[in-house]
Amino acid sequence: MFENLKKKIGYFLLRKTMIKKLNESNFNQFVTTAHDYLIVFPANDIDFQNGIDVAKYFSIHKKNVTILINDIKRNLVNLTNNFNIIEYGINDVSKFGLPNRQFIAELSKYNFDVLIDLERNENLFINGVTSLVKAKYKVGFKKNEIENLYNFQIINSKLNSEISYRNLLNSLRMF
């Protein structure tokens, strides 16, 4: 009961204080001209493994890729891919499930051309991170709880993350 109430308060705080209005952007060649990417990895283990291909795609195309992952999953990322890594842990989560002030201060140091959120499910912490990161383009899967989080949204295949990520990459290849 208390967890559900904390979650509702967390989403209220996210909507009221963290989500900023995204600027209208021209999407012509935004993927090809962008250089700095932040890829937010999902919490689910299967989605995490399937999401690595998305990060590898941009790394292969000579993009500067930074990944945001849970510190528990740090060892699952192959170091030969030359990813920059931002880690978060349980101490970076506030009592309402949002990023705490210290983690927000750390995130404010970064600027990215494109943020890609691979989380397909509702995740208050990752939604908070996505709203706070400075990026001209924010790409992610449509979420029921939050609107206006991304300026480029993809419909999620609830059954298979591999299909969802393939659709994401196919959509981004058009730009």
Side-chain angles (χ1 to χ4, degrees):
M1 180 175 161
F2 288 114
E3 290 301 317
N4 195 24
L5 180 62
K6 285 172 43 175
K7 182 178 176 182
K8 285 183 180 186
I9 292 170
Y11 274 110
F12 175 78
L13 292 171
L14 178 66
R15 284 186 207 103
K16 294 297 180 192
T17 61
M18 292 184 170
I19 295 183
K20 299 165 183 72
K21 183 164 173 49
L22 295 171
N23 296 328
E24 290 184 20
S25 300
N26 182 357
F27 287 99
N28 290 339
Q29 298 182 337
F30 83 96
V31 173
T32 55
T33 58
H35 183 67
D36 294 317
Y37 285 76
L38 175 64
I39 300 179
V40 180
F41 271 78
N44 179 301
D45 290 338
I46 295 170
D47 290 358
F48 184 91
Q49 289 300 323
N50 291 329
I52 290 175
D53 290 337
V54 175
K56 286 180 182 177
Y57 172 82
F58 290 105
S59 181
I60 288 169
H61 287 86
K62 307 290 188 234
K63 305 297 183 182
N64 183 21
V65 178
T66 302
I67 59 174
L68 180 97
I69 59 172
N70 191 313
D71 58 3
I72 295 170
K73 297 182 180 185
R74 171 67 172 91
N75 293 331
L76 298 177
V77 177
N78 188 349
L79 297 176
T80 61
N81 290 316
N82 297 325
F83 299 132
N84 300 316
I85 296 176
I86 301 173
E87 295 180 27
Y88 66 90
I90 192 128
N91 294 334
D92 297 317
V93 181
S94 74
K95 61 184 170 186
F96 294 115
L98 295 167
N100 65 20
R101 289 184 182 159
Q102 184 179 3
F103 194 70
I104 291 171
E106 182 180 336
L107 285 178
S108 68
K109 298 175 189 175
Y110 298 98
N111 281 316
F112 298 98
D113 297 323
V114 178
L115 176 142
I116 300 174
D117 179 5
L118 298 179
E119 181 62 65
R120 298 180 318 127
N121 303 312
E122 297 291 337
N123 185 316
L124 191 54
F125 180 81
I126 290 177
N127 290 345
V129 167
T130 301
S131 69
L132 293 169
V133 169
K134 296 176 205 160
K136 185 173 181 180
Y137 301 100
K138 294 183 179 184
V139 178
F141 295 99
K142 184 168 175 34
K143 307 272 191 329
N144 292 332
E145 292 287 332
I146 301 293
E147 295 179 15
N148 304 325
L149 192 57
Y150 311 107
N151 44 12
F152 189 85
Q153 290 187 12
I154 306 293
I155 301 298
N156 182 15
S157 170
K158 294 283 185 191
L159 301 176
N160 190 336
S161 63
E162 186 177 0
I163 292 171
S164 293
Y165 297 144
R166 192 175 316 128
N167 290 342
L168 173 82
L169 282 175
N170 288 335
S171 297
L172 293 176
R173 285 182 185 138
M174 293 188 297
F175 301 100

